[in-house]
Amino acid sequence: AQAPGILEANLRLLDAHDSQRAASDAREVEIPLQAVTISGTPCVREGVALVSLEPRTLVLSALKPAEHGDGLIVRVQNPGNSSVRAVLRTGFALAAAHALRLDESATDEALDATPDWVSFEVPPHALRTLLLVASG
């Protein structure tokens, strides 16, 4: 759903019984995110993060252009056993932020937003999708 088309991958099996070592091993084989220019993607100053997510217990699982219209799709996962209040800060001014379903259709989930950040609840073991629309 997040990356239609051909996908090539190299897989590595890790020992899940040693969670500390598995996490460390996984970080060793991570491929860092690479920035690309996409029409409609907001620009930020050098050294400023496009988005940052708090708290660190949450996982930014996707950041991509919206399938339809302008804006960025952000997916946030909560792997924990408790609900967590997420704060997503942006390096650009927000005109709007909307909660979406995985298929990018609208939902009525509550968001708190300012031009600099969006805050929302992420239930345990859940994934939340947002549409961020830049101003100007």
Side-chain angles (χ1 to χ4, degrees):
Q2 297 181 33
I6 296 172
L7 175 68
E8 291 184 30
N10 293 316
L11 302 178
R12 184 176 196 184
L13 298 176
L14 303 174
D15 180 4
H17 296 292
D18 183 352
S19 61
Q20 287 290 81
R21 182 167 177 220
S24 173
D25 288 350
R27 280 191 284 281
E28 285 180 22
V29 298
E30 276 182 342
I31 298 172
L33 294 176
Q34 298 178 6
V36 296
T37 302
I38 300 170
S39 176
T41 301
C43 293
V44 296
R45 295 181 318 278
E46 187 172 337
V48 175
L50 183 63
V51 295
S52 63
L53 178 64
E54 299 168 6
R56 293 184 58 103
T57 56
L58 297 173
V59 176
L60 180 66
S61 70
L63 178 64
K64 68 180 201 71
E67 290 296 319
H68 305 287
D70 291 334
L72 291 175
I73 297 297
V74 177
R75 291 202 175 96
V76 175
Q77 178 189 13
N78 178 2
N81 294 324
S82 302
S83 186
V84 176
R85 187 82 184 164
V87 177
L88 185 75
R89 298 185 192 285
T90 60
F92 56 92
L94 281 172
H98 306 282
L100 304 177
R101 293 182 180 85
L102 190 58
D103 67 0
E104 299 185 20
S105 62
T107 182
D108 60 358
E109 291 176 41
L111 300 176
D112 295 322
T114 74
D116 301 319
W117 55 263
V118 181
S119 180
F120 51 98
E121 202 68 27
V122 187
H125 307 288
L127 185 69
R128 290 293 175 254
T129 301
L130 303 179
L131 170 64
L132 306 179
V133 180
S135 64

